[in-house]
Each structure stands twice: as structure tokens, then as C-alpha cells.
Amino acid sequence: MNHSQWKTRRTRKLLGESVEESPAYVEAGYAFALGQAVYDRRTEIGLSQSELARRADMTQSQISRIEGGDSVPTLPLLTRLAKALDASLTIDLDGDSSAFTFTPHDHRQQDEASPGGNHSAA
């Protein structure tokens, strides 16, 4: 078989053919989706990689690796990233799809909330 006869994973899916995805392929997809979410939120609020790194007590190269999908941060690091991005992070891993969403904090609602409200945190 020559390369002109190869079908991409996407083409095989569109043709209704069975496509097995290796665990490494799935993990790479998660890393890329997370990196894209970090990039989108960072640019939405106008931060450079260096400024985000400073806010999250990281290096600019660590931010670059996360945004490029080359690194998957630990939970404590994700917590620092979310705080530095002034947002909550929602992670939805469902079968072969994933979603990473940074939801901006609404400071107006927090300011209006009663101080005696119920809160729970890990």
C-alpha cells in the first residue's frame, strides 16, 4: 500500500469504519484540549504567558508546554492556574470526548452574596 491509499482517522470515522484509539492518542487529546482552554482564557483576559506564569507561581516555559499540549499539570497546579486566570475550571471526561472550561468569576454576584452563605471547598 502506498501513502495515497492511507485513510486518516477522521476519514475512516466519516466512512463509518471502526477506529480504535490508543490510550496515548486519547491522553494527547486531553492535553491539547486543556492547553487550548488555558490559551483561550489567558488571551480573553489579555495576559501574556509570562504574566500568567507569575500569577500561578510557574515559569513561562511551563505555561507554553501546557498550552502546546506537551504537559498535563497536576491537580494542585490546575488549581493555581484557575486562580491565576480568575476562573473556575470544569473538567468533563466522558468516554472519547473531553471538555475543559474556564468560567470567569462573577465578582458582582460574590460582592452581593451574603457573608453567611454555605460554602464547601476541598
Side-chain angles (χ1 to χ4, degrees):
M1 173 193 291
N2 67 38
H3 73 279
S4 65
Q5 295 172 320
W6 290 349
K7 295 178 189 172
T8 64
R9 186 176 304 276
R10 180 178 181 275
T11 301
R12 290 186 305 200
K13 280 185 178 180
L14 290 172
L15 292 172
E17 295 178 12
S18 173
V19 179
E20 282 191 40
E21 295 178 344
S22 71
Y25 183 85
V26 173
E27 288 175 23
Y30 293 160
F32 180 77
L34 173 62
Q36 187 66 51
V38 171
Y39 171 83
D40 290 345
R41 177 64 183 155
R42 178 180 64 77
T43 57
E44 177 184 319
I45 61 176
L47 293 180
S48 66
Q49 286 184 346
S50 296
E51 178 59 18
L52 176 56
R54 186 192 66 72
R55 288 182 178 196
D57 195 27
M58 299 171 62
T59 65
Q60 179 275 325
S61 62
Q62 286 176 303
I63 300 295
S64 179
R65 284 193 302 274
I66 291 168
E67 288 185 358
D70 298 327
S71 173
V72 178
T74 62
L75 289 175
L77 192 54
L78 286 173
T79 302
R80 291 196 338 245
L81 273 173
K83 184 175 180 180
L85 290 167
D86 193 27
S88 298
L89 173 60
T90 302
I91 301 172
D92 183 13
L93 304 175
D94 185 22
D96 55 352
S97 66
S98 62
F100 298 84
T101 308
F102 284 98
T103 305
H105 293 144
D106 185 355
H107 294 288
R108 286 178 295 144
Q109 285 182 346
Q110 290 175 357
D111 292 342
E112 295 170 2
S114 66
N118 293 330
H119 301 282
S120 63

